[in-house]
Short mmCIF file of all heavy atoms in Angstrom, two decimals:
data_model
loop_
_atom_site.label_atom_id
_atom_site.label_comp_id
_atom_site.label_asym_id
_atom_site.label_seq_id
_atom_site.Cartn_x
_atom_site.Cartn_y
_atom_site.Cartn_z
N LEU A 61 -57.54 148.53 17.13
CA LEU A 61 -58.94 148.98 17.03
C LEU A 61 -59.25 149.51 15.64
O LEU A 61 -60.35 149.30 15.12
CB LEU A 61 -59.24 150.06 18.07
CG LEU A 61 -59.44 149.59 19.49
CD1 LEU A 61 -59.56 150.79 20.44
CD2 LEU A 61 -60.67 148.72 19.60
N ALA A 62 -58.29 150.19 15.02
CA ALA A 62 -58.49 150.72 13.67
C ALA A 62 -58.69 149.59 12.67
O ALA A 62 -59.46 149.71 11.72
CB ALA A 62 -57.32 151.59 13.26
N VAL A 63 -57.99 148.47 12.89
CA VAL A 63 -58.14 147.32 12.00
C VAL A 63 -59.46 146.59 12.28
O VAL A 63 -60.18 146.22 11.37
CB VAL A 63 -56.94 146.36 12.15
CG1 VAL A 63 -57.18 145.06 11.42
CG2 VAL A 63 -55.67 147.03 11.64
N ALA A 64 -59.77 146.44 13.57
CA ALA A 64 -60.98 145.69 13.95
C ALA A 64 -62.25 146.49 13.68
O ALA A 64 -63.27 145.92 13.31
CB ALA A 64 -60.91 145.30 15.43
N LEU A 65 -62.21 147.80 13.90
CA LEU A 65 -63.38 148.67 13.72
C LEU A 65 -63.01 149.82 12.79
O LEU A 65 -62.83 150.95 13.24
CB LEU A 65 -63.85 149.21 15.07
CG LEU A 65 -64.13 148.18 16.16
CD1 LEU A 65 -64.26 148.85 17.51
CD2 LEU A 65 -65.38 147.40 15.82
N PRO A 66 -62.92 149.58 11.49
CA PRO A 66 -62.40 150.60 10.58
C PRO A 66 -63.22 151.88 10.49
O PRO A 66 -62.68 152.92 10.14
CB PRO A 66 -62.35 149.88 9.23
CG PRO A 66 -63.21 148.69 9.36
CD PRO A 66 -63.29 148.35 10.81
N GLN A 67 -64.48 151.86 10.82
CA GLN A 67 -65.30 153.06 10.74
C GLN A 67 -65.18 153.94 11.98
O GLN A 67 -65.65 155.07 11.99
CB GLN A 67 -66.77 152.71 10.50
CG GLN A 67 -67.01 152.03 9.18
CD GLN A 67 -66.64 152.91 7.99
OE1 GLN A 67 -66.87 154.11 8.01
NE2 GLN A 67 -66.04 152.32 6.98
N SER A 68 -64.57 153.42 13.04
CA SER A 68 -64.54 154.17 14.29
C SER A 68 -63.27 154.99 14.47
O SER A 68 -63.31 156.06 15.07
CB SER A 68 -64.69 153.22 15.48
OG SER A 68 -63.58 152.35 15.53
N LEU A 69 -62.16 154.50 13.96
CA LEU A 69 -60.88 155.14 14.21
C LEU A 69 -59.97 154.85 13.03
O LEU A 69 -60.00 153.75 12.47
CB LEU A 69 -60.29 154.56 15.50
CG LEU A 69 -59.10 155.25 16.12
CD1 LEU A 69 -59.52 156.62 16.66
CD2 LEU A 69 -58.57 154.42 17.27
N GLY A 70 -59.14 155.82 12.68
CA GLY A 70 -58.23 155.61 11.56
C GLY A 70 -56.87 155.12 12.02
O GLY A 70 -56.45 155.35 13.16
N ALA A 71 -56.16 154.47 11.12
CA ALA A 71 -54.81 154.00 11.43
C ALA A 71 -53.87 155.18 11.67
O ALA A 71 -52.92 155.07 12.44
CB ALA A 71 -54.29 153.12 10.30
N GLY A 72 -54.13 156.31 11.04
CA GLY A 72 -53.31 157.50 11.26
C GLY A 72 -53.39 157.98 12.70
O GLY A 72 -52.39 158.44 13.26
N ASP A 73 -54.56 157.86 13.31
CA ASP A 73 -54.69 158.23 14.71
C ASP A 73 -53.86 157.29 15.59
O ASP A 73 -53.20 157.73 16.53
CB ASP A 73 -56.16 158.18 15.14
CG ASP A 73 -57.02 159.17 14.38
OD1 ASP A 73 -56.54 160.28 14.08
OD2 ASP A 73 -58.18 158.83 14.08
N GLY A 74 -53.86 156.01 15.26
CA GLY A 74 -53.05 155.05 16.01
C GLY A 74 -51.56 155.32 15.86
O GLY A 74 -50.81 155.24 16.83
N LEU A 75 -51.12 155.65 14.64
CA LEU A 75 -49.71 155.96 14.42
C LEU A 75 -49.31 157.25 15.14
O LEU A 75 -48.19 157.36 15.64
CB LEU A 75 -49.41 156.07 12.93
CG LEU A 75 -49.34 154.76 12.16
CD1 LEU A 75 -49.22 155.02 10.67
CD2 LEU A 75 -48.18 153.92 12.65
N THR A 76 -50.23 158.20 15.21
CA THR A 76 -49.96 159.44 15.94
C THR A 76 -49.75 159.14 17.42
O THR A 76 -48.80 159.63 18.04
CB THR A 76 -51.13 160.44 15.76
OG1 THR A 76 -51.31 160.71 14.37
CG2 THR A 76 -50.87 161.73 16.50
N VAL A 77 -50.62 158.34 18.00
CA VAL A 77 -50.51 157.98 19.41
C VAL A 77 -49.25 157.15 19.64
O VAL A 77 -48.57 157.30 20.66
CB VAL A 77 -51.78 157.25 19.89
CG1 VAL A 77 -51.61 156.73 21.30
CG2 VAL A 77 -52.98 158.18 19.81
N LEU A 78 -48.89 156.31 18.69
CA LEU A 78 -47.67 155.52 18.80
C LEU A 78 -46.45 156.43 18.88
O LEU A 78 -45.58 156.25 19.74
CB LEU A 78 -47.55 154.57 17.60
CG LEU A 78 -46.34 153.66 17.57
CD1 LEU A 78 -46.50 152.54 18.58
CD2 LEU A 78 -46.14 153.10 16.19
N ALA A 79 -46.39 157.44 18.02
CA ALA A 79 -45.25 158.37 18.02
C ALA A 79 -45.17 159.14 19.33
O ALA A 79 -44.10 159.26 19.93
CB ALA A 79 -45.37 159.33 16.83
N VAL A 80 -46.29 159.66 19.78
CA VAL A 80 -46.29 160.44 21.01
C VAL A 80 -46.01 159.54 22.21
O VAL A 80 -45.30 159.94 23.14
CB VAL A 80 -47.63 161.19 21.18
CG1 VAL A 80 -47.70 161.90 22.52
CG2 VAL A 80 -47.81 162.19 20.04
N GLY A 81 -46.53 158.33 22.19
CA GLY A 81 -46.27 157.40 23.28
C GLY A 81 -44.79 157.07 23.42
O GLY A 81 -44.28 156.97 24.54
N MET A 82 -44.10 156.93 22.31
CA MET A 82 -42.66 156.68 22.38
C MET A 82 -41.93 157.86 23.00
O MET A 82 -40.96 157.69 23.73
CB MET A 82 -42.10 156.38 20.99
CG MET A 82 -42.46 155.02 20.49
SD MET A 82 -41.53 154.52 19.03
CE MET A 82 -42.12 155.66 17.82
N ALA A 83 -42.40 159.06 22.73
CA ALA A 83 -41.74 160.25 23.26
C ALA A 83 -42.06 160.48 24.73
O ALA A 83 -41.18 160.85 25.51
CB ALA A 83 -42.15 161.47 22.44
N TRP A 84 -43.30 160.27 25.13
CA TRP A 84 -43.72 160.64 26.48
C TRP A 84 -43.82 159.48 27.45
O TRP A 84 -43.96 159.69 28.64
CB TRP A 84 -45.06 161.36 26.41
CG TRP A 84 -44.94 162.79 26.01
CD1 TRP A 84 -43.80 163.50 25.85
CD2 TRP A 84 -45.99 163.69 25.72
NE1 TRP A 84 -44.07 164.78 25.46
CE2 TRP A 84 -45.42 164.92 25.38
CE3 TRP A 84 -47.38 163.57 25.69
CZ2 TRP A 84 -46.17 166.04 25.05
CZ3 TRP A 84 -48.13 164.68 25.35
CH2 TRP A 84 -47.53 165.90 25.04
N GLY A 85 -43.81 158.27 26.98
CA GLY A 85 -43.95 157.12 27.87
C GLY A 85 -45.41 156.76 28.10
O GLY A 85 -46.32 157.50 27.73
N PHE A 86 -45.61 155.62 28.75
CA PHE A 86 -46.95 155.05 28.90
C PHE A 86 -47.89 155.94 29.71
O PHE A 86 -49.00 156.25 29.28
CB PHE A 86 -46.84 153.66 29.55
CG PHE A 86 -48.17 152.99 29.70
CD1 PHE A 86 -48.78 152.37 28.63
CD2 PHE A 86 -48.82 152.96 30.93
CE1 PHE A 86 -50.01 151.75 28.76
CE2 PHE A 86 -50.04 152.35 31.07
CZ PHE A 86 -50.64 151.74 29.99
N GLY A 87 -47.47 156.36 30.89
CA GLY A 87 -48.36 157.11 31.78
C GLY A 87 -48.79 158.45 31.22
O GLY A 87 -49.98 158.78 31.20
N ASP A 88 -47.82 159.23 30.74
CA ASP A 88 -48.15 160.54 30.18
C ASP A 88 -48.96 160.40 28.90
O ASP A 88 -49.85 161.21 28.62
CB ASP A 88 -46.88 161.34 29.90
CG ASP A 88 -46.23 161.86 31.18
OD1 ASP A 88 -46.94 161.96 32.20
OD2 ASP A 88 -45.03 162.15 31.14
N CYS A 89 -48.68 159.37 28.11
CA CYS A 89 -49.43 159.15 26.88
C CYS A 89 -50.89 158.82 27.19
O CYS A 89 -51.80 159.34 26.55
CB CYS A 89 -48.79 158.03 26.06
SG CYS A 89 -49.64 157.71 24.50
N CYS A 90 -51.11 157.96 28.18
CA CYS A 90 -52.49 157.61 28.54
C CYS A 90 -53.25 158.82 29.07
O CYS A 90 -54.42 159.03 28.73
CB CYS A 90 -52.50 156.49 29.57
SG CYS A 90 -52.02 154.89 28.88
N GLN A 91 -52.59 159.63 29.87
CA GLN A 91 -53.22 160.84 30.41
C GLN A 91 -53.56 161.81 29.27
O GLN A 91 -54.67 162.35 29.22
CB GLN A 91 -52.28 161.50 31.40
CG GLN A 91 -52.86 162.71 32.10
CD GLN A 91 -51.88 163.26 33.13
OE1 GLN A 91 -50.91 162.62 33.50
NE2 GLN A 91 -52.15 164.46 33.59
N TRP A 92 -52.63 162.00 28.35
CA TRP A 92 -52.83 162.88 27.20
C TRP A 92 -53.96 162.36 26.31
O TRP A 92 -54.82 163.12 25.87
CB TRP A 92 -51.51 162.97 26.43
CG TRP A 92 -51.62 163.41 25.02
CD1 TRP A 92 -51.84 164.68 24.57
CD2 TRP A 92 -51.50 162.60 23.86
NE1 TRP A 92 -51.85 164.69 23.20
CE2 TRP A 92 -51.65 163.42 22.74
CE3 TRP A 92 -51.28 161.23 23.65
CZ2 TRP A 92 -51.58 162.95 21.44
CZ3 TRP A 92 -51.21 160.76 22.36
CH2 TRP A 92 -51.36 161.61 21.27
N LEU A 93 -53.96 161.06 26.08
CA LEU A 93 -54.99 160.45 25.22
C LEU A 93 -56.37 160.58 25.84
O LEU A 93 -57.35 160.90 25.14
CB LEU A 93 -54.63 158.98 24.98
CG LEU A 93 -55.40 158.23 23.92
CD1 LEU A 93 -55.28 158.91 22.57
CD2 LEU A 93 -54.87 156.81 23.82
#
Side-chain angles (χ1 to χ4, degrees):
L61 283 173
V63 171
L65 306 167
Q67 296 298 321
S68 64
L69 192 68
D73 298 324
L75 285 173
T76 302
V77 174
L78 181 74
V80 175
M82 286 192 294
W84 281 352
F86 182 79
D88 287 338
C89 181
C90 288
Q91 184 177 347
W92 159 76
L93 191 57

